[in-house]
Amino acid sequence: MMKASAWLAAALLAAPLAAQPAASLPSAIQAGQVGERYDGYMGYAVAPSPAVRRQVQAVNLRRRNLYIELGSRRNVNAEVVGLTAGCQLLRQLSPGEAYQLQDGVWRRWTPGQPAPVPAHCG
């Protein structure tokens, strides 16, 4: 049987959010303007352009729908699925990408730092 974290990672990779986003979102991620949050959603480290805001909202909507679907399959709520996804997504950060933990502070991951892992991650 597939472990829950491996199952979630596979589902995230197969989800529609893996489709190619418009060019401005990857640039905003690389610049540290937007990043991953501990709860499995993207957030704004700085005020983004309207185009980037729309793209992040679209990603978050797709993620929310995925979390609801996966949660119903596992008989857990979407928040639990999102928190589990956040653990996986934060472990996959690339150098320079922004992230936010439960304390609400935005940081940028740099090589040599341990992966940012929230307290709820196992």
Side-chain angles (χ1 to χ4, degrees), residues 40-121:
Y41 294 96
M42 295 188 79
Y44 315 109
V46 299
S49 70
V52 169
R53 182 176 296 279
R54 283 189 303 274
Q55 291 169 341
V56 168
Q57 289 170 341
V59 167
N60 284 342
L61 179 61
R62 288 189 300 262
R63 287 182 182 184
R64 175 75 179 155
N65 290 336
L66 174 64
Y67 300 162
I68 290 168
E69 179 185 336
L70 295 177
S72 68
R73 290 183 194 171
R74 294 287 182 163
N75 201 27
V76 297
N77 67 38
E79 182 181 344
V80 170
V81 177
L83 289 168
T84 303
C87 296
Q88 296 298 316
L89 292 165
L90 289 172
R91 286 184 177 113
Q92 298 172 11
L93 290 176
S94 295
E97 290 184 354
Y99 65 94
Q100 183 187 60
L101 300 177
Q102 295 95 323
D103 62 8
V105 176
W106 282 97
R107 299 168 178 87
R108 290 183 76 170
W109 189 77
T110 58
Q113 285 182 325
V117 180
H120 66 268
C121 300

